[in-house]
């Protein structure tokens, strides 16, 4: 697994793709938070808070993470190197785990530049330092876990696809449904009492608690279950390609 992880990280950082994705992610976040006229602009909100950032980031990750994960298995199959990997002395579960960790790590690195936003808000607060650090820390932890969930879903989409374009589109669709689509369906109140169950199937409600600074073990357990299910299914579909 470690060997696969090193190989994948080198493939991201060795050809500048990871650097470009991290830079694009940071640039878009900066434009929305400080320059564009929108509900996320910190100056227009007039509050020393990164809450608008934590609302914006899941939508960016919905497109960024599938872009990172689309190559994990779809590219290997497209180029014919998947059979070569099968011939190596490693288990499919190690192959899936190494690729998952690589996507997760690069996704987490996308958040590092946002510490500049935190420092900026901290300095601009009146008085200086008037920031809810507990809520901010909880939101960052939530994002790290959400990135893992999106990574798992992206790996699953790549394991189901024959090429990278299909893997990307399927990954974006699945992430969108899990984060926003299920939440919106539940909001229509079409299923009566079952709407609450439907609402809790999606990512949004479980991520919302983290943005309030609440780290609930039930939310953590939910994401662990989703990630595990995604990786188990990915392992199954890759095994079928042997």
């Amino acid at each position: 697994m470690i060997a696969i992880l090193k190989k994948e990280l080198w493939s991201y950082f060795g050809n500048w793709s990871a650097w470009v994705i991290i830079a694009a992610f940071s640039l878009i976040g900066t434009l929305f938070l400080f320059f564009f006229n929108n509900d996320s602009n910190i100056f227009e909100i007039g509050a020393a808070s990164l809450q608008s950032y934590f609302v914006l980031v899941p939508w960016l990750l919905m497109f960024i993470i599938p872009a990172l994960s689309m190559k994990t298995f779809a590219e290997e199959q497209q180029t014919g190197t998947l059979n070569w990997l099968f011939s190596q002395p490693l288990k499919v579960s190690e192959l899936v785990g190494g690729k998952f960790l690589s996507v997760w790590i690069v996704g987490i690195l996308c958040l590092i530049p946002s510490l500049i936003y935190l420092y900026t808000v901290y300095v601009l607060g009146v008085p200086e330092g008037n920031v809810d650090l507990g809520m901010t820390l909880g939101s960052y932890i939530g994002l790290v876990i959400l990135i893992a969930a999106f990574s798992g879903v992206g790996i699953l989409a790549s394991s189901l696809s024959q090429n990278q374009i299909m893997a990307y589109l399927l990954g974006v669709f699945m992430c969108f449904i899990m984060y926003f689509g299920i939440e919106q369906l539940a909001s229509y109140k079409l299923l009566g009492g079952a709407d609450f169950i439907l609402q809790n199937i999606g990512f949004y409600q479980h991520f919302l608690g983290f943005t309030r600074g609440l780290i609930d073990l039930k939310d953590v357990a939910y994401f662990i279950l989703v990630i595990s299910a995604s990786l188990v299914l990915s392992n199954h579909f890759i095994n079928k390609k042997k």
Side-chain angles (χ1 to χ4, degrees):
M1 186 185 294
I2 299 300
I4 293 296
L5 173 59
K6 290 179 179 178
K7 169 185 172 295
E8 291 297 308
L9 288 177
W10 174 251
S11 72
Y12 287 125
F13 290 99
N15 63 3
W16 297 94
S17 60
W19 301 107
V20 170
I21 287 175
I22 293 172
F25 183 88
S26 303
L27 177 61
I28 294 171
T30 301
L31 291 174
F32 272 94
L33 289 180
F34 297 101
F35 295 96
F36 291 164
N37 292 322
N38 61 94
D39 294 336
S40 298
N41 191 298
I42 290 175
F43 295 120
E44 291 189 8
I45 294 171
S49 171
L50 282 180
Q51 280 306 101
S52 58
Y53 175 74
F54 298 123
V55 171
L56 171 67
V57 167
W59 289 94
L60 299 180
L61 292 174
M62 211 177 290
F63 296 93
I64 294 293
I65 299 301
L68 291 169
S69 63
M70 67 180 183
K71 65 184 287 294
T72 50
F73 288 109
E75 183 187 48
E76 301 280 10
Q77 185 167 349
Q78 198 172 358
T79 58
T81 55
L82 188 60
N83 289 327
W84 176 81
L85 286 173
F86 288 152
S87 67
Q88 301 305 303
L90 53 85
K91 299 176 182 177
V92 173
S93 58
E94 294 172 339
L95 183 61
V96 172
K99 288 178 176 290
F100 164 74
L101 288 175
S102 67
V103 175
W104 189 17
I105 289 171
V106 177
I108 292 172
L109 291 177
C110 288
L111 300 179
I112 301 299
S114 70
L115 296 177
I116 298 173
Y117 309 151
L118 178 58
Y119 175 75
T120 302
V121 170
Y122 184 90
V123 171
L124 292 177
V126 181
E128 182 175 320
N130 184 27
V131 178
D132 190 336
L133 295 178
M135 185 169 62
T136 302
L137 177 61
S139 299
Y140 270 112
I141 293 173
L143 283 180
V144 169
I145 296 175
L146 185 64
I147 289 171
F150 279 155
S151 299
V153 172
I155 293 288
L156 176 58
S158 187
S159 71
L160 288 167
S161 305
Q162 302 293 326
N163 58 70
Q164 293 187 67
I165 296 176
M166 184 186 299
Y168 178 73
L169 294 176
L170 181 60
V172 171
F173 175 75
M174 291 170 68
C175 288
F176 174 81
I177 291 297
M178 289 302 295
Y179 182 77
F180 185 72
I182 292 176
E183 173 68 21
Q184 283 300 295
L185 285 174
S187 70
Y188 290 127
K189 308 295 183 185
L190 300 175
L191 303 176
D195 284 316
F196 176 77
I197 298 174
L198 179 64
Q199 195 174 46
N200 280 276
I201 293 175
F203 292 169
Y204 181 80
Q205 284 299 317
H206 296 281
F207 174 69
L208 196 61
F210 289 100
T211 63
R212 295 167 178 163
L214 303 173
I215 303 176
D216 194 324
L217 290 179
K218 288 188 289 187
D219 294 329
V220 175
Y222 163 81
F223 280 114
I224 291 175
L225 179 62
V226 169
I227 295 164
S228 301
S230 298
L231 298 184
V232 168
L233 287 172
S234 300
N235 187 83
H236 170 72
F237 289 118
I238 295 301
N239 263 315
K240 289 182 68 175
K241 295 181 179 180
K242 270 191 169 182

